[in-house]
Every structure is written in structure tokens, then in C-alpha cells.
Amino acid sequence: MSDTATQGELLRLLNNRRRRHVIWTLAAVDTPVDVETLTGFVVSLAAADTTAATRWDDRRSVRNNLKQRHLAQLADAGIIRWTTTVRPGPQFVRAIQTLAVSHAPE
């Protein structure tokens, strides 16, 4: 995927709750964040969706999943930029606009 994802590709990416949590987090903090901090926000948002307590293993699993899968997909689509920190990419505003129409903040 390129920095100009089609609308279908964008909707497919945004259909995943964890990726939506990443985007809503970046929109809320309005500053680049390291992966560990981002993981904390994503875990907190996920915990709000369930009654289960978050264990350290869960946090590690989320961090690894973000690094190995979700951040790369969002970066490939141009939604984020990811090096040592995660920050909005050139398609970030488009992703937020699409989320505003298709998914309420979670």
C-alpha cells in the first residue's frame, strides 16, 4: 500500500479496533509518542471496552502486536509516521475524517 490508500483500503485498515485506538490516541495527544506510551493508551482504551484487568503480559502482547503488525500497516498507508516515535502522517487527517463518519471514538 502507498501513502495514498484507496477509500476501500482505508476502510479495511480502520475496521480494526486496535488501529482505531492508535489513531484516536494520536489525535488526542497531538504530539509524537513513543511506542511504549502509545501502548499504554491503547491498553487503557481496550480495557475500557472490557471488565478484565490488564496484566503485564497483555501489555507486552499489545506492544508486540502494534510493532509487528498495526503500526507498519498504518505507516504503509501514510496514516502515521513511525521511527522511534509515532506521529501523524500525510493521510492522518483523511483517516480521522473517515473515522468521524464511520466509527465514533471508542
Side-chain angles (χ1 to χ4, degrees):
M1 203 174 310
S2 70
D3 277 1
T4 55
T6 67
Q7 189 66 16
E9 291 168 331
L10 184 60
L11 289 171
R12 183 189 59 76
L13 282 170
L14 300 179
N15 196 41
N16 180 277
R17 181 173 297 188
R18 195 161 284 168
R19 288 190 286 265
R20 290 193 307 268
H21 287 170
V22 167
I23 293 166
W24 288 127
T25 296
L26 289 178
V29 298
D30 198 32
T31 184
V33 294
D34 60 64
V35 174
E36 198 61 40
T37 301
L38 180 62
T39 299
F41 282 113
V42 170
V43 166
S44 295
L45 288 168
D49 292 341
T50 66
T51 57
T54 305
R55 299 183 329 255
W56 170 250
D57 289 343
D58 294 335
R59 186 180 174 98
R60 185 175 57 206
S61 175
V62 169
R63 182 187 64 235
N64 290 341
N65 189 252
L66 286 174
K67 289 170 72 173
Q68 293 172 0
R69 182 175 180 193
H70 298 297
L71 296 180
Q73 290 176 351
L74 291 170
D76 286 348
I79 297 170
I80 65 166
R81 291 289 182 232
W82 173 40
T83 53
T84 57
T85 60
V86 181
R87 64 189 186 286
Q91 295 298 316
F92 186 78
V93 171
R94 183 173 166 221
I96 289 290
Q97 291 169 339
T98 301
L99 281 176
V101 171
S102 63
H103 293 75
E106 302 173 40

